[in-house]
mmCIF file of all heavy atoms in Angstrom:
data_model
loop_
_atom_site.group_PDB
_atom_site.id
_atom_site.type_symbol
_atom_site.label_atom_id
_atom_site.label_comp_id
_atom_site.label_asym_id
_atom_site.label_seq_id
_atom_site.Cartn_x
_atom_site.Cartn_y
_atom_site.Cartn_z
ATOM 1 N N ALA B 300 108.641 -170.830 38.115
ATOM 2 C CA ALA B 300 109.381 -170.926 39.387
ATOM 3 C C ALA B 300 110.372 -169.770 39.515
ATOM 4 O O ALA B 300 110.544 -169.191 40.603
ATOM 5 C CB ALA B 300 110.122 -172.261 39.458
ATOM 6 N N SER B 301 111.007 -169.425 38.409
ATOM 7 C CA SER B 301 111.968 -168.305 38.447
ATOM 8 C C SER B 301 111.255 -166.995 38.755
ATOM 9 O O SER B 301 111.772 -166.138 39.473
ATOM 10 C CB SER B 301 112.726 -168.198 37.113
ATOM 11 O OG SER B 301 111.902 -167.672 36.087
ATOM 12 N N LEU B 302 110.060 -166.856 38.214
ATOM 13 C CA LEU B 302 109.272 -165.649 38.461
ATOM 14 C C LEU B 302 108.896 -165.546 39.943
ATOM 15 O O LEU B 302 108.982 -164.474 40.565
ATOM 16 C CB LEU B 302 108.020 -165.702 37.576
ATOM 17 C CG LEU B 302 107.179 -164.464 37.419
ATOM 18 C CD1 LEU B 302 108.001 -163.268 37.008
ATOM 19 C CD2 LEU B 302 106.086 -164.737 36.364
ATOM 20 N N LEU B 303 108.504 -166.679 40.513
ATOM 21 C CA LEU B 303 108.162 -166.706 41.942
ATOM 22 C C LEU B 303 109.372 -166.273 42.782
ATOM 23 O O LEU B 303 109.252 -165.418 43.675
ATOM 24 C CB LEU B 303 107.723 -168.123 42.331
ATOM 25 C CG LEU B 303 107.401 -168.352 43.811
ATOM 26 C CD1 LEU B 303 106.223 -167.492 44.248
ATOM 27 C CD2 LEU B 303 107.097 -169.833 44.063
ATOM 28 N N ALA B 304 110.529 -166.819 42.458
ATOM 29 C CA ALA B 304 111.731 -166.474 43.228
ATOM 30 C C ALA B 304 112.129 -165.020 43.003
ATOM 31 O O ALA B 304 112.614 -164.348 43.917
ATOM 32 C CB ALA B 304 112.878 -167.406 42.841
ATOM 33 N N GLY B 305 111.933 -164.536 41.780
ATOM 34 C CA GLY B 305 112.238 -163.138 41.480
ATOM 35 C C GLY B 305 111.373 -162.193 42.301
ATOM 36 O O GLY B 305 111.855 -161.194 42.867
ATOM 37 N N ILE B 306 110.088 -162.512 42.400
ATOM 38 C CA ILE B 306 109.174 -161.675 43.193
ATOM 39 C C ILE B 306 109.575 -161.705 44.674
ATOM 40 O O ILE B 306 109.603 -160.673 45.356
ATOM 41 C CB ILE B 306 107.717 -162.149 43.003
ATOM 42 C CG1 ILE B 306 107.262 -161.835 41.575
ATOM 43 C CG2 ILE B 306 106.783 -161.496 44.016
ATOM 44 C CD1 ILE B 306 105.995 -162.547 41.164
ATOM 45 N N ARG B 307 109.913 -162.910 45.147
ATOM 46 C CA ARG B 307 110.329 -163.025 46.556
ATOM 47 C C ARG B 307 111.597 -162.209 46.802
ATOM 48 O O ARG B 307 111.758 -161.603 47.865
ATOM 49 C CB ARG B 307 110.566 -164.485 46.914
ATOM 50 C CG ARG B 307 109.256 -165.244 47.095
ATOM 51 C CD ARG B 307 109.524 -166.694 47.402
ATOM 52 N NE ARG B 307 108.293 -167.441 47.600
ATOM 53 C CZ ARG B 307 108.206 -168.763 47.481
ATOM 54 N NH1 ARG B 307 109.271 -169.479 47.163
ATOM 55 N NH2 ARG B 307 107.057 -169.367 47.679
ATOM 56 N N TYR B 308 112.503 -162.207 45.820
ATOM 57 C CA TYR B 308 113.739 -161.418 45.955
ATOM 58 C C TYR B 308 113.391 -159.925 46.095
ATOM 59 O O TYR B 308 113.907 -159.232 46.973
ATOM 60 C CB TYR B 308 114.645 -161.640 44.744
ATOM 61 C CG TYR B 308 115.822 -160.694 44.727
ATOM 62 C CD1 TYR B 308 116.935 -160.929 45.526
ATOM 63 C CD2 TYR B 308 115.800 -159.533 43.947
ATOM 64 C CE1 TYR B 308 118.000 -160.037 45.544
ATOM 65 C CE2 TYR B 308 116.850 -158.648 43.953
ATOM 66 C CZ TYR B 308 117.956 -158.899 44.754
ATOM 67 O OH TYR B 308 119.003 -158.003 44.776
ATOM 68 N N ILE B 309 112.509 -159.455 45.214
ATOM 69 C CA ILE B 309 112.141 -158.026 45.249
ATOM 70 C C ILE B 309 111.470 -157.695 46.580
ATOM 71 O O ILE B 309 111.757 -156.666 47.204
ATOM 72 C CB ILE B 309 111.211 -157.678 44.062
ATOM 73 C CG1 ILE B 309 111.959 -157.873 42.745
ATOM 74 C CG2 ILE B 309 110.693 -156.248 44.178
ATOM 75 C CD1 ILE B 309 111.074 -157.848 41.519
ATOM 76 N N GLU B 310 110.595 -158.591 47.031
ATOM 77 C CA GLU B 310 109.905 -158.333 48.311
ATOM 78 C C GLU B 310 110.900 -158.300 49.465
ATOM 79 O O GLU B 310 110.763 -157.497 50.392
ATOM 80 C CB GLU B 310 108.832 -159.394 48.540
ATOM 81 C CG GLU B 310 107.631 -159.175 47.615
ATOM 82 C CD GLU B 310 106.567 -160.247 47.742
ATOM 83 O OE1 GLU B 310 106.894 -161.380 48.149
ATOM 84 O OE2 GLU B 310 105.413 -159.958 47.401
ATOM 85 N N ARG B 311 111.892 -159.169 49.390
ATOM 86 C CA ARG B 311 112.891 -159.208 50.469
ATOM 87 C C ARG B 311 113.747 -157.939 50.471
ATOM 88 O O ARG B 311 114.044 -157.371 51.516
ATOM 89 C CB ARG B 311 113.771 -160.445 50.288
ATOM 90 C CG ARG B 311 114.622 -160.784 51.493
ATOM 91 C CD ARG B 311 115.023 -162.251 51.490
ATOM 92 N NE ARG B 311 115.735 -162.635 50.278
ATOM 93 C CZ ARG B 311 117.014 -162.362 50.047
ATOM 94 N NH1 ARG B 311 117.718 -161.690 50.931
ATOM 95 N NH2 ARG B 311 117.594 -162.762 48.933
ATOM 96 N N GLN B 312 114.103 -157.477 49.271
ATOM 97 C CA GLN B 312 114.905 -156.254 49.187
ATOM 98 C C GLN B 312 114.053 -155.007 49.454
ATOM 99 O O GLN B 312 114.560 -153.993 49.927
ATOM 100 C CB GLN B 312 115.524 -156.118 47.791
ATOM 101 C CG GLN B 312 116.465 -157.247 47.411
ATOM 102 C CD GLN B 312 117.704 -157.289 48.270
ATOM 103 O OE1 GLN B 312 118.247 -156.258 48.646
ATOM 104 N NE2 GLN B 312 118.151 -158.483 48.632
ATOM 105 N N GLY B 313 112.785 -155.112 49.075
ATOM 106 C CA GLY B 313 111.880 -153.962 49.158
ATOM 107 C C GLY B 313 111.810 -153.263 47.802
ATOM 108 O O GLY B 313 112.837 -152.836 47.284
ATOM 109 N N GLN B 314 110.578 -153.178 47.242
ATOM 110 C CA GLN B 314 110.430 -152.539 45.923
ATOM 111 C C GLN B 314 110.912 -151.091 45.946
ATOM 112 O O GLN B 314 111.576 -150.621 45.023
ATOM 113 C CB GLN B 314 108.965 -152.607 45.461
ATOM 114 C CG GLN B 314 108.689 -151.944 44.124
ATOM 115 C CD GLN B 314 109.314 -152.679 42.951
ATOM 116 O OE1 GLN B 314 108.782 -153.638 42.443
ATOM 117 N NE2 GLN B 314 110.472 -152.199 42.499
ATOM 118 N N ASP B 315 110.592 -150.389 47.034
ATOM 119 C CA ASP B 315 111.032 -148.988 47.105
ATOM 120 C C ASP B 315 112.553 -148.880 47.102
ATOM 121 O O ASP B 315 113.119 -147.985 46.457
ATOM 122 C CB ASP B 315 110.480 -148.326 48.382
ATOM 123 C CG ASP B 315 108.994 -148.027 48.260
ATOM 124 O OD1 ASP B 315 108.515 -147.935 47.109
ATOM 125 O OD2 ASP B 315 108.322 -147.900 49.294
ATOM 126 N N ALA B 316 113.196 -149.791 47.818
ATOM 127 C CA ALA B 316 114.664 -149.749 47.883
ATOM 128 C C ALA B 316 115.262 -149.986 46.490
ATOM 129 O O ALA B 316 116.228 -149.319 46.094
ATOM 130 C CB ALA B 316 115.175 -150.797 48.870
ATOM 131 N N ILE B 317 114.689 -150.924 45.745
ATOM 132 C CA ILE B 317 115.192 -151.212 44.392
ATOM 133 C C ILE B 317 114.962 -150.003 43.481
ATOM 134 O O ILE B 317 115.852 -149.567 42.745
ATOM 135 C CB ILE B 317 114.500 -152.476 43.822
ATOM 136 C CG1 ILE B 317 115.006 -153.716 44.576
ATOM 137 C CG2 ILE B 317 114.724 -152.609 42.317
ATOM 138 C CD1 ILE B 317 114.327 -155.016 44.195
ATOM 139 N N THR B 318 113.745 -149.458 43.561
ATOM 140 C CA THR B 318 113.417 -148.286 42.741
ATOM 141 C C THR B 318 114.392 -147.145 43.031
ATOM 142 O O THR B 318 114.940 -146.529 42.112
ATOM 143 C CB THR B 318 111.979 -147.807 43.050
ATOM 144 O OG1 THR B 318 111.097 -148.905 42.865
ATOM 145 C CG2 THR B 318 111.571 -146.649 42.164
ATOM 146 N N ASN B 319 114.601 -146.887 44.310
ATOM 147 C CA ASN B 319 115.463 -145.760 44.686
ATOM 148 C C ASN B 319 116.914 -145.993 44.293
ATOM 149 O O ASN B 319 117.599 -145.062 43.853
ATOM 150 C CB ASN B 319 115.352 -145.494 46.194
ATOM 151 C CG ASN B 319 113.990 -144.941 46.555
ATOM 152 O OD1 ASN B 319 113.303 -144.374 45.696
ATOM 153 N ND2 ASN B 319 113.566 -145.126 47.786
ATOM 154 N N LYS B 320 117.390 -147.226 44.454
ATOM 155 C CA LYS B 320 118.773 -147.497 44.076
ATOM 156 C C LYS B 320 118.952 -147.258 42.566
ATOM 157 O O LYS B 320 119.914 -146.616 42.132
ATOM 158 C CB LYS B 320 119.172 -148.933 44.423
ATOM 159 C CG LYS B 320 120.619 -149.162 44.027
ATOM 160 C CD LYS B 320 121.113 -150.563 44.165
ATOM 161 C CE LYS B 320 122.516 -150.619 43.540
ATOM 162 N NZ LYS B 320 123.086 -151.942 43.515
ATOM 163 N N CYS B 321 118.010 -147.770 41.763
ATOM 164 C CA CYS B 321 118.132 -147.617 40.303
ATOM 165 C C CYS B 321 118.014 -146.142 39.897
ATOM 166 O O CYS B 321 118.695 -145.703 38.963
ATOM 167 C CB CYS B 321 117.082 -148.476 39.598
ATOM 168 S SG CYS B 321 117.446 -150.245 39.723
ATOM 169 N N ARG B 322 117.166 -145.394 40.589
ATOM 170 C CA ARG B 322 117.061 -143.952 40.278
ATOM 171 C C ARG B 322 118.376 -143.244 40.606
ATOM 172 O O ARG B 322 118.807 -142.348 39.885
ATOM 173 C CB ARG B 322 115.901 -143.326 41.054
ATOM 174 C CG ARG B 322 114.579 -143.661 40.393
ATOM 175 C CD ARG B 322 113.397 -142.912 40.970
ATOM 176 N NE ARG B 322 112.214 -143.234 40.193
ATOM 177 C CZ ARG B 322 110.979 -143.260 40.671
ATOM 178 N NH1 ARG B 322 110.760 -142.950 41.937
ATOM 179 N NH2 ARG B 322 109.958 -143.560 39.891
ATOM 180 N N GLY B 323 118.996 -143.666 41.705
ATOM 181 C CA GLY B 323 120.285 -143.086 42.078
ATOM 182 C C GLY B 323 121.347 -143.384 41.028
ATOM 183 O O GLY B 323 122.146 -142.505 40.665
ATOM 184 N N LEU B 324 121.365 -144.610 40.537
ATOM 185 C CA LEU B 324 122.334 -144.989 39.499
ATOM 186 C C LEU B 324 122.106 -144.159 38.230
ATOM 187 O O LEU B 324 123.056 -143.683 37.598
ATOM 188 C CB LEU B 324 122.192 -146.478 39.157
ATOM 189 C CG LEU B 324 122.550 -147.489 40.251
ATOM 190 C CD1 LEU B 324 122.140 -148.899 39.842
ATOM 191 C CD2 LEU B 324 124.040 -147.445 40.570
ATOM 192 N N THR B 325 120.838 -144.000 37.888
ATOM 193 C CA THR B 325 120.497 -143.243 36.677
ATOM 194 C C THR B 325 120.927 -141.787 36.815
ATOM 195 O O THR B 325 121.504 -141.200 35.883
ATOM 196 C CB THR B 325 118.974 -143.321 36.415
ATOM 197 O OG1 THR B 325 118.591 -144.697 36.430
ATOM 198 C CG2 THR B 325 118.596 -142.711 35.082
ATOM 199 N N ALA B 326 120.667 -141.203 37.993
ATOM 200 C CA ALA B 326 121.054 -139.805 38.234
ATOM 201 C C ALA B 326 122.577 -139.652 38.183
ATOM 202 O O ALA B 326 123.098 -138.687 37.603
ATOM 203 C CB ALA B 326 120.511 -139.343 39.585
ATOM 204 N N LEU B 327 123.268 -140.615 38.759
ATOM 205 C CA LEU B 327 124.739 -140.568 38.754
ATOM 206 C C LEU B 327 125.260 -140.629 37.319
ATOM 207 O O LEU B 327 126.107 -139.825 36.911
ATOM 208 C CB LEU B 327 125.274 -141.767 39.559
ATOM 209 C CG LEU B 327 126.767 -142.057 39.454
ATOM 210 C CD1 LEU B 327 127.579 -140.911 40.048
ATOM 211 C CD2 LEU B 327 127.113 -143.360 40.178
ATOM 212 N N PHE B 328 124.723 -141.568 36.558
ATOM 213 C CA PHE B 328 125.195 -141.769 35.181
ATOM 214 C C PHE B 328 124.899 -140.543 34.307
ATOM 215 O O PHE B 328 125.772 -140.064 33.579
ATOM 216 C CB PHE B 328 124.505 -143.011 34.611
ATOM 217 C CG PHE B 328 124.953 -143.383 33.242
ATOM 218 C CD1 PHE B 328 126.142 -144.067 33.048
ATOM 219 C CD2 PHE B 328 124.183 -143.060 32.132
ATOM 220 C CE1 PHE B 328 126.561 -144.419 31.772
ATOM 221 C CE2 PHE B 328 124.594 -143.402 30.865
ATOM 222 C CZ PHE B 328 125.785 -144.081 30.676
ATOM 223 N N THR B 329 123.682 -140.036 34.403
ATOM 224 C CA THR B 329 123.325 -138.901 33.547
ATOM 225 C C THR B 329 124.084 -137.640 33.959
ATOM 226 O O THR B 329 124.445 -136.824 33.113
ATOM 227 C CB THR B 329 121.804 -138.626 33.562
ATOM 228 O OG1 THR B 329 121.365 -138.517 34.918
ATOM 229 C CG2 THR B 329 121.027 -139.732 32.878
ATOM 230 N N SER B 330 124.352 -137.513 35.257
ATOM 231 C CA SER B 330 125.099 -136.317 35.687
ATOM 232 C C SER B 330 126.524 -136.347 35.127
ATOM 233 O O SER B 330 127.123 -135.308 34.872
ATOM 234 C CB SER B 330 125.115 -136.197 37.210
ATOM 235 O OG SER B 330 125.928 -137.212 37.765
ATOM 236 N N GLU B 331 127.057 -137.537 34.948
ATOM 237 C CA GLU B 331 128.411 -137.670 34.393
ATOM 238 C C GLU B 331 128.447 -137.306 32.898
ATOM 239 O O GLU B 331 129.473 -136.904 32.378
ATOM 240 C CB GLU B 331 128.900 -139.116 34.546
ATOM 241 C CG GLU B 331 129.045 -139.585 35.986
ATOM 242 C CD GLU B 331 130.433 -139.295 36.558
ATOM 243 O OE1 GLU B 331 131.386 -139.265 35.778
ATOM 244 O OE2 GLU B 331 130.531 -139.084 37.774
ATOM 245 N N LEU B 332 127.311 -137.493 32.228
ATOM 246 C CA LEU B 332 127.304 -137.316 30.770
ATOM 247 C C LEU B 332 126.612 -136.047 30.291
ATOM 248 O O LEU B 332 126.810 -135.606 29.166
ATOM 249 C CB LEU B 332 126.625 -138.511 30.092
ATOM 250 C CG LEU B 332 127.358 -139.850 30.171
ATOM 251 C CD1 LEU B 332 126.586 -140.916 29.423
ATOM 252 C CD2 LEU B 332 128.768 -139.746 29.600
ATOM 253 N N ARG B 333 125.787 -135.477 31.165
ATOM 254 C CA ARG B 333 124.901 -134.395 30.732
ATOM 255 C C ARG B 333 125.652 -133.218 30.113
ATOM 256 O O ARG B 333 125.186 -132.622 29.148
ATOM 257 C CB ARG B 333 124.068 -133.930 31.924
ATOM 258 C CG ARG B 333 122.796 -133.209 31.517
ATOM 259 C CD ARG B 333 121.947 -132.896 32.731
ATOM 260 N NE ARG B 333 121.376 -134.084 33.326
ATOM 261 C CZ ARG B 333 121.361 -134.345 34.645
ATOM 262 N NH1 ARG B 333 121.909 -133.503 35.493
ATOM 263 N NH2 ARG B 333 120.812 -135.445 35.098
ATOM 264 N N LYS B 334 126.805 -132.920 30.656
ATOM 265 C CA LYS B 334 127.522 -131.725 30.175
ATOM 266 C C LYS B 334 128.553 -132.049 29.109
ATOM 267 O O LYS B 334 129.291 -131.156 28.679
ATOM 268 C CB LYS B 334 128.185 -131.030 31.369
ATOM 269 C CG LYS B 334 127.170 -130.360 32.278
ATOM 270 C CD LYS B 334 127.831 -129.726 33.475
ATOM 271 C CE LYS B 334 126.772 -129.169 34.424
ATOM 272 N NZ LYS B 334 127.339 -128.824 35.727
ATOM 273 N N ASP B 335 128.620 -133.292 28.691
ATOM 274 C CA ASP B 335 129.618 -133.646 27.684
ATOM 275 C C ASP B 335 129.096 -133.235 26.307
ATOM 276 O O ASP B 335 128.054 -133.734 25.865
ATOM 277 C CB ASP B 335 129.880 -135.155 27.717
ATOM 278 C CG ASP B 335 131.107 -135.521 26.916
ATOM 279 O OD1 ASP B 335 131.162 -135.136 25.726
ATOM 280 O OD2 ASP B 335 132.010 -136.159 27.466
ATOM 281 N N PRO B 336 129.807 -132.324 25.626
ATOM 282 C CA PRO B 336 129.284 -131.837 24.343
ATOM 283 C C PRO B 336 129.264 -132.913 23.258
ATOM 284 O O PRO B 336 128.556 -132.773 22.260
ATOM 285 C CB PRO B 336 130.269 -130.717 23.968
ATOM 286 C CG PRO B 336 131.515 -131.033 24.724
ATOM 287 C CD PRO B 336 131.094 -131.715 25.978
ATOM 288 N N GLY B 337 129.997 -133.983 23.439
ATOM 289 C CA GLY B 337 130.020 -135.035 22.420
ATOM 290 C C GLY B 337 128.927 -136.064 22.582
ATOM 291 O O GLY B 337 128.778 -136.962 21.755
ATOM 292 N N VAL B 338 128.160 -135.962 23.669
ATOM 293 C CA VAL B 338 127.126 -136.963 23.954
ATOM 294 C C VAL B 338 125.752 -136.292 23.946
ATOM 295 O O VAL B 338 125.547 -135.306 24.646
ATOM 296 C CB VAL B 338 127.361 -137.637 25.327
ATOM 297 C CG1 VAL B 338 126.284 -138.670 25.618
ATOM 298 C CG2 VAL B 338 128.746 -138.275 25.379
ATOM 299 N N SER B 339 124.845 -136.823 23.145
ATOM 300 C CA SER B 339 123.466 -136.308 23.134
ATOM 301 C C SER B 339 122.589 -137.252 23.927
ATOM 302 O O SER B 339 122.322 -138.377 23.499
ATOM 303 C CB SER B 339 122.928 -136.228 21.701
ATOM 304 O OG SER B 339 123.749 -135.433 20.913
ATOM 305 N N LEU B 340 122.143 -136.784 25.093
ATOM 306 C CA LEU B 340 121.215 -137.577 25.902
ATOM 307 C C LEU B 340 119.796 -137.248 25.462
ATOM 308 O O LEU B 340 119.447 -136.075 25.352
ATOM 309 C CB LEU B 340 121.347 -137.216 27.385
ATOM 310 C CG LEU B 340 122.572 -137.683 28.171
ATOM 311 C CD1 LEU B 340 122.474 -137.168 29.600
ATOM 312 C CD2 LEU B 340 122.679 -139.188 28.153
ATOM 313 N N TYR B 341 118.982 -138.271 25.244
ATOM 314 C CA TYR B 341 117.625 -137.984 24.773
ATOM 315 C C TYR B 341 116.653 -137.703 25.911
ATOM 316 O O TYR B 341 115.613 -137.088 25.699
ATOM 317 C CB TYR B 341 117.127 -139.122 23.879
ATOM 318 C CG TYR B 341 117.910 -139.117 22.592
ATOM 319 C CD1 TYR B 341 118.817 -140.120 22.298
ATOM 320 C CD2 TYR B 341 117.801 -138.048 21.715
ATOM 321 C CE1 TYR B 341 119.567 -140.076 21.133
ATOM 322 C CE2 TYR B 341 118.546 -137.985 20.552
ATOM 323 C CZ TYR B 341 119.439 -139.004 20.268
ATOM 324 O OH TYR B 341 120.193 -138.946 19.125
ATOM 325 N N THR B 342 116.941 -138.195 27.108
ATOM 326 C CA THR B 342 116.146 -137.826 28.285
ATOM 327 C C THR B 342 117.141 -137.519 29.403
ATOM 328 O O THR B 342 117.697 -138.434 29.998
ATOM 329 C CB THR B 342 115.218 -138.982 28.726
ATOM 330 O OG1 THR B 342 114.553 -139.504 27.585
ATOM 331 C CG2 THR B 342 114.187 -138.505 29.723
ATOM 332 N N PRO B 343 117.378 -136.250 29.680
ATOM 333 C CA PRO B 343 118.399 -135.917 30.678
ATOM 334 C C PRO B 343 118.111 -136.475 32.070
ATOM 335 O O PRO B 343 119.027 -136.796 32.808
ATOM 336 C CB PRO B 343 118.403 -134.384 30.679
ATOM 337 C CG PRO B 343 117.847 -134.004 29.353
ATOM 338 C CD PRO B 343 116.843 -135.070 29.003
ATOM 339 N N SER B 344 116.813 -136.597 32.419
ATOM 340 C CA SER B 344 116.470 -137.133 33.750
ATOM 341 C C SER B 344 115.357 -138.174 33.633
ATOM 342 O O SER B 344 114.198 -137.902 33.955
ATOM 343 C CB SER B 344 116.008 -136.002 34.670
ATOM 344 O OG SER B 344 117.007 -135.032 34.804
#
Side-chain angles (χ1 to χ4, degrees):
Chain B
S301 74
L302 192 52
L303 177 63
I306 291 166
R307 285 178 179 159
Y308 171 79
I309 296 168
E310 287 177 335
R311 194 157 57 78
Q312 299 295 323
Q314 179 69 82
D315 286 338
I317 289 175
T318 305
N319 291 337
K320 181 186 172 184
C321 289
R322 282 189 176 150
L324 294 171
T325 308
L327 169 65
F328 183 79
T329 52
S330 70
E331 297 271 331
L332 292 182
R333 201 174 291 135
K334 289 178 185 167
D335 192 306
V338 180
S339 303
L340 287 179
Y341 291 110
T342 313
S344 301

